[in-house]
Amino acid sequence: MMFGYGMGISPTNRGFGGGGGGGAYTARTIAFAAETSIVDTTILDALNTLDQGLIDNSLDSKMVALYPFVGGTATTHKYNFFDPRDLDVAFRLAFFGGWTHSATGIQGNGFTYADTFLTPSTSLSLDNTHASIYSRTDNTRNTFDVWANDGKLVLGLNFSGTEYMRVNQLTYSTKVATNSLGLGLVNRENSTTEKLYRNGTLTLTSARTSSSLSSSTVSLGGQNGAGISWTDREYSFASLGQGMTDSEETIFYNLIQDFQTSLSRQV
Amino acid sequence: MIAIITIEQKDSLIGQRFDGVQFFNPVQDIDNNWAISIEEINQCINVDFQWVKDLTLSIFNPPLTEPLI
């Protein structure tokens, strides 16, 4: 598939003389480059390798929104790699508060969150959901990192010393948090069990029956409420989509960690 | 650091972009004063809201939080 953005790159001609894996850029990489005007081949090669890895492992079909936070500006960071249109319906982020944007990601300041415009009840499936986020900051805060406003989808990497999980129901599952670094992922692939992973390792399995999908949009960096504040962590990746098996989650983590390493921002 | 703003100023900022992309996000402190962050002020290039550059900066005193149930 060829995208007609006039960027001078195509799946068969990178157009930048870039190195990387030596293959052609995927259609998604080309579309993302066109929309963001990113021409840095280190970034594009990293995105392309990530996308090709998702494709090769049949994980691309599980992604609804994927935020790679590359390019270093609010404008480049707002786009969903899987639908890089500047539209709410494409789940393009809206940043609220004074985020600091850099090559390493989006840095909150305690007054910040980002609305994905993704409503689980219309875009995700009750017994087939994941949410992930990659934090470069290790701290303890009263904040959730992924949060649907009615509380039915929650990922907290380190909320006052505790990791929190909810996937399509309203009872928290928790464990002691050791830090807030790296890739956290909450997952449901059936009606009876939720799973929490950190950096490719299954850290919590909880018997929680699904009840219903959130009818509120999902935010990154939390949402203000009783006992809850906004984030001051730096994030360098996030995703929302279908659930994964344990082995798929391991592959997914390795792809994300390789992506971060290729951009010299891994933790 | 933050700057205290009036309710009228808060109302004027909600839904507005400070840099063409990002939205102001006024928050309340422990005394229910409204405030915006220094990052919003420093990044503000919206010509309609350059008055935020003249606000006085102070330390933020967050609202008390309650343990999660």
Side-chain angles (χ1 to χ4, degrees), chain A residues 151-233:
Chain A
K152 292 178 183 171
L153 182 60
V154 174
L155 169 56
L157 298 173
N158 190 340
F159 189 117
S160 296
T162 301
E163 284 189 68
Y164 281 85
M165 165 175 64
R166 282 181 181 170
V167 185
N168 304 336
Q169 52 82 33
L170 280 172
T171 302
Y172 288 117
S173 297
T174 64
K175 66 178 287 292
V176 174
T178 54
N179 59 53
S180 61
L181 288 170
L183 186 74
L185 187 146
V186 292
N187 191 62
R188 176 183 290 280
E189 49 178 329
N190 58 51
S191 63
T192 59
T193 307
E194 297 175 339
K195 292 180 177 179
L196 173 64
Y197 301 85
R198 176 65 73 81
N199 296 324
T201 299
L202 176 61
T203 57
L204 178 62
T205 301
S206 183
R208 303 282 189 209
T209 301
S210 58
S211 57
S212 62
L213 289 151
S214 173
S215 57
S216 301
T217 61
V218 177
S219 294
L220 309 179
Q223 174 67 41
N224 218 15
I228 304 171
S229 58
W230 287 305
T231 190
D232 64 352
R233 293 180 180 139

Side-chain angles (χ1 to χ4, degrees), chain A residues 40-245:
Chain A
D40 184 321
T41 53
T42 300
I43 294 173
L44 296 179
D45 287 350
L47 282 171
N48 195 64
T49 299
L50 171 61
D51 193 29
Q52 195 60 59
L54 294 172
I55 294 167
D56 291 346
N57 291 283
S58 301
L59 290 170
D60 58 323
S61 60
K62 294 179 178 290
M63 299 297 133
V64 176
L66 188 150
Y67 304 102
F69 299 135
V70 291
T73 70
T75 299
T76 60
H77 287 167
K78 70 183 180 181
Y79 287 104
N80 171 12
F81 182 67
F82 272 66
D83 188 352
R85 294 177 294 160
D86 194 1
L87 300 170
D88 295 352
V89 295
F91 311 133
R92 178 261 300 115
L93 295 172
F95 293 108
F96 290 84
W99 291 92
T100 297
H101 299 267
S102 73
T104 51
I106 62 170
Q107 173 81 55
N109 69 355
F111 304 85
T112 41
Y113 70 98
D115 190 348
T116 66
F117 294 98
L118 189 154
T119 302
S121 62
T122 57
S123 298
L124 300 177
S125 300
L126 180 62
D127 297 324
N128 190 13
T129 295
H130 92 270
S132 82
I133 199 160
Y134 192 101
S135 167
R136 286 174 36 84
T137 305
D138 185 15
N139 62 21
T140 299
R141 294 288 187 271
N142 281 15
T143 186
F144 290 126
D145 302 282
V146 179
W147 169 259
N149 283 347
D150 58 8
K152 292 178 183 171
L153 182 60
V154 174
L155 169 56
L157 298 173
N158 190 340
F159 189 117
S160 296
T162 301
E163 284 189 68
Y164 281 85
M165 165 175 64
R166 282 181 181 170
V167 185
N168 304 336
Q169 52 82 33
L170 280 172
T171 302
Y172 288 117
S173 297
T174 64
K175 66 178 287 292
V176 174
T178 54
N179 59 53
S180 61
L181 288 170
L183 186 74
L185 187 146
V186 292
N187 191 62
R188 176 183 290 280
E189 49 178 329
N190 58 51
S191 63
T192 59
T193 307
E194 297 175 339
K195 292 180 177 179
L196 173 64
Y197 301 85
R198 176 65 73 81
N199 296 324
T201 299
L202 176 61
T203 57
L204 178 62
T205 301
S206 183
R208 303 282 189 209
T209 301
S210 58
S211 57
S212 62
L213 289 151
S214 173
S215 57
S216 301
T217 61
V218 177
S219 294
L220 309 179
Q223 174 67 41
N224 218 15
I228 304 171
S229 58
W230 287 305
T231 190
D232 64 352
R233 293 180 180 139
E234 183 181 46
Y235 302 121
S236 53
F237 178 87
S239 67
L240 295 159
Q242 297 177 15
M244 304 178 196
T245 65

